[in-house]
Amino acid sequence: MEDSPNEVQNINRPTPIEEVEEPKTIEELQKEVDLLKAENTKTKRNLMWKVRKLEKDKILTENEKIRLERELKSLRGEVERFRSPPLILATITEILDDSRMTVKSSTGPSFLINYSKFLDEDLLRPGSRVALNQQTFGVVEVLPSEKDANVSGMEIEAKPDVTYDMIGGLDEQILEVKETVELPLKHPELFEKVGIDPPKGILLYGPPGTGKTLLAKAVANETNATFIKVVASEFVKKYIGEGARMVREVFELAKEKAPSIIFIDELDAVAAQRLKSSTSGDREVQRTLMQLLAELDGFESRGDIGIIGATNRPDILDPALLRPGRFDRFIEVPAPNEDGRREIFKIHTKRMNISPEVSLDTLVELTDGVSGADLKAICTEAGMFAIREERDQISLNDFMDAIDKIMGKNKTGQLDDNGGVMFG
């Protein structure tokens, strides 16, 4: 069998010789080993870093899971609380024995119920508010006494920025207020040593604008007692008994916050002399006054509660309110005299940029019979005259124009043709 030409050519072509690699030296092999070791170390380090990162992520995930489980539990509890039926409000009427009491619910009927021994017995007394279960009528909790939102808002949280140094011409009145109001609260042991009971109340009376409210603000600033401010007209309500209830709640709030001071401004609004009147409004105001008298001097001790009343009409106050034991000291706050007006001008002009030609003695002479509020208004008006003329210094003419403007009122309190009087 003949060979094909291609086969003959393959036979005649020389066979290539394979190249044989030279063996590597020990140094080259050692370099390769070192390189592999370095790569292995680097790879191991990267893997360890990833493992630690995954462990940290695992811990963070577990913490997040625990937080979400707690939040879920809290939300489930909140949902269950919203699903629970509302409680019934009731008032304790009588404690029968160690486990039974009678209550009157807010819906009307009275019940004889059992109560748990784990409740605070000091809180369980007639008149206390409690919450009852709808099904078993068991006492769930004892609630605090109910107070009108307006009464709770009478407590002054932030102290006024008025101090005794800002009140001029009332040195004697300030001394009496300190002795009557501050001293029993700060140093009650002095009265115990002498053997007398400290005064419980003072009545500030005098013309409008003479500083009665300023004295009360200064007392609120100087003492650490709770200060409760109320205007007597707030006690006048539409429905029968509402005003008396507010009076009672104000004194209850003062007892809870004791030591405390109650400041009743414009006292004549409810404490006017009782007359024979046929109108229901007057009779309701008289009921409020009687509740106020009972709170001022009732069977229960007032404790560490000071009373400050203020009025500019002491002539119309009811005589029952003025007897000792209710208001122990009457402090007249008159219009300032010459020295008082000078002190008031010094207080109000201390921060004012006044001209050297302005003499306080001249201003004092021109303002005879002017109240402290009017003196402040004169200083404010003088500053307004300077601002009107775009000046940064107040001249004597500005004060003269302000005095003419403020004292342009007649004695009845009506303004004259000089309109636009500004009161500071």
Side-chain angles (χ1 to χ4, degrees):
M1 185 175 184
E2 295 181 0
D3 295 332
S4 63
N6 293 332
E7 293 178 355
V8 174
Q9 293 177 1
N10 292 335
I11 295 173
N12 294 330
R13 182 180 299 171
T15 303
I17 300 174
E18 296 181 358
E19 297 181 0
V20 179
E21 295 181 358
E22 295 183 1
K24 296 181 179 181
T25 62
I26 295 176
E27 290 80 4
E28 293 176 345
L29 293 175
Q30 186 64 36
K31 288 181 180 180
E32 290 183 1
V33 170
D34 295 339
L35 182 62
L36 291 175
K37 285 183 178 180
E39 292 180 354
N40 184 30
T41 303
K42 183 178 180 180
T43 304
K44 183 178 179 181
R45 188 183 300 113
N46 292 336
L47 291 176
M48 292 297 295
W49 180 81
K50 291 181 179 180
V51 169
R52 287 195 295 269
K53 184 176 181 302
L54 291 175
E55 289 178 351
K56 291 181 180 179
D57 293 342
K58 179 183 177 182
I59 294 174
L60 294 176
T61 305
E62 290 177 351
N63 293 336
E64 184 70 13
K65 179 183 177 183
I66 294 173
R67 187 186 68 81
L68 292 176
E69 288 178 350
R70 290 177 179 175
E71 186 176 353
L72 177 61
K73 184 178 179 181
S74 175
L75 292 175
R76 283 178 177 173
E78 192 75 8
V79 171
E80 291 297 328
R81 188 176 66 84
F82 281 120
R83 288 179 177 176
S84 61
L87 303 176
I88 298 176
L89 294 180
T91 304
I92 300 176
T93 56
E94 185 180 0
I95 304 293
L96 299 179
D97 50 37
D98 295 337
S99 61
R100 295 186 307 164
M101 69 172 67
T102 59
V103 297
K104 183 177 179 60
S105 68
S106 57
T107 57
S110 300
F111 300 99
L112 175 62
I113 62 173
N114 296 321
Y115 64 92
S116 173
K117 63 180 180 179
F118 296 104
L119 295 174
D120 190 355
E121 295 183 356
D122 295 334
L123 300 177
L124 295 175
R125 57 181 181 271
S128 299
R129 288 199 312 159
V130 293
L132 307 179
N133 186 282
Q134 278 195 355
Q135 297 178 350
T136 62
F137 291 100
V139 178
V140 177
E141 61 177 320
V142 182
L143 303 177
S145 59
E146 183 180 8
K147 287 187 180 61
D148 194 300
N150 296 327
V151 174
S152 301
M154 293 175 183
E155 179 183 352
I156 295 179
E157 300 291 343
K159 291 185 177 182
D161 55 354
V162 178
T163 61
Y164 291 125
D165 297 334
M166 301 172 63
I167 303 175
L170 298 176
D171 296 337
E172 183 179 350
Q173 288 79 4
I174 291 174
L175 179 60
E176 292 189 4
V177 168
K178 287 183 176 180
E179 291 176 351
T180 312
V181 180
E182 290 188 25
L183 204 58
L185 296 176
K186 292 183 176 180
H187 303 285
E189 67 278 0
L190 297 178
F191 294 89
E192 294 179 0
K193 292 179 180 179
V194 177
I196 61 172
D197 294 329
K200 293 296 183 180
I202 61 174
L203 179 64
L204 305 175
Y205 67 96
T210 53
K212 298 184 292 297
T213 306
L214 278 179
L215 280 173
K217 289 182 179 179
V219 172
N221 190 335
E222 296 293 334
T223 60
N224 293 324
T226 303
F227 197 83
I228 301 173
K229 179 185 179 299
V230 55
V231 180
S233 58
E234 296 182 36
F235 291 143
V236 181
K237 295 297 179 180
K238 179 179 179 181
Y239 299 103
I240 295 176
E242 287 295 312
R245 180 182 60 82
M246 283 195 66
V247 172
R248 184 176 65 255
E249 290 181 358
V250 166
F251 278 84
E252 288 180 358
L253 176 65
K255 290 178 182 178
E256 293 177 2
K257 303 286 186 176
S260 58
I261 298 173
I262 301 176
F263 174 56
I264 306 177
D265 202 2
E266 306 297 341
L267 187 61
D268 52 277
V270 295
Q273 189 170 1
R274 288 171 284 185
L275 303 173
K276 293 181 180 180
S277 178
S278 59
T279 61
S280 59
D282 291 338
R283 288 198 298 270
E284 177 59 22
V285 172
Q286 291 176 9
R287 293 188 189 97
T288 304
L289 172 59
M290 287 184 280
Q291 181 66 35
L292 179 61
L293 296 175
E295 294 292 341
L296 289 174
D297 187 22
F299 285 100
E300 296 183 2
S301 174
R302 280 184 287 171
D304 295 333
I305 301 176
I307 311 294
I308 301 177
T311 180
N312 49 25
R313 290 297 307 274
D315 54 310
I316 65 172
L317 294 180
D318 194 278
L321 191 70
L322 303 178
R323 73 166 179 81
R326 287 167 179 159
F327 287 107
D328 297 316
R329 181 171 288 187
F330 304 95
I331 301 176
E332 182 181 4
V333 186
N337 55 18
E338 184 176 345
D339 294 334
R341 293 196 301 274
R342 184 177 292 104
E343 291 181 11
I344 294 173
F345 270 123
K346 288 181 180 179
I347 292 172
H348 293 308
T349 59
K350 181 170 58 176
R351 297 174 55 188
M352 297 174 63
N353 186 16
I354 60 177
S355 174
E357 65 177 355
V358 177
S359 174
L360 294 183
D361 294 334
T362 303
L363 300 180
V364 169
E365 293 177 0
L366 295 174
T367 54
D368 186 22
V370 177
S371 66
D374 289 336
L375 295 178
K376 181 180 180 182
I378 289 173
C379 296
T380 305
E381 280 293 338
M384 294 302 297
F385 280 119
I387 293 174
R388 181 181 301 174
E389 298 181 4
E390 297 182 355
R391 289 184 285 105
D392 57 0
Q393 194 175 52
I394 305 172
S395 63
L396 180 61
N397 291 331
D398 295 330
F399 277 101
M400 300 299 292
D401 294 338
I403 291 173
D404 293 338
K405 190 173 184 179
I406 297 300
M407 297 185 66
K409 300 177 295 179
N410 55 34
K411 295 182 179 180
T412 59
Q414 299 294 329
L415 300 179
D416 62 357
D417 296 335
N418 219 359
V421 177
M422 178 178 181
F423 296 95

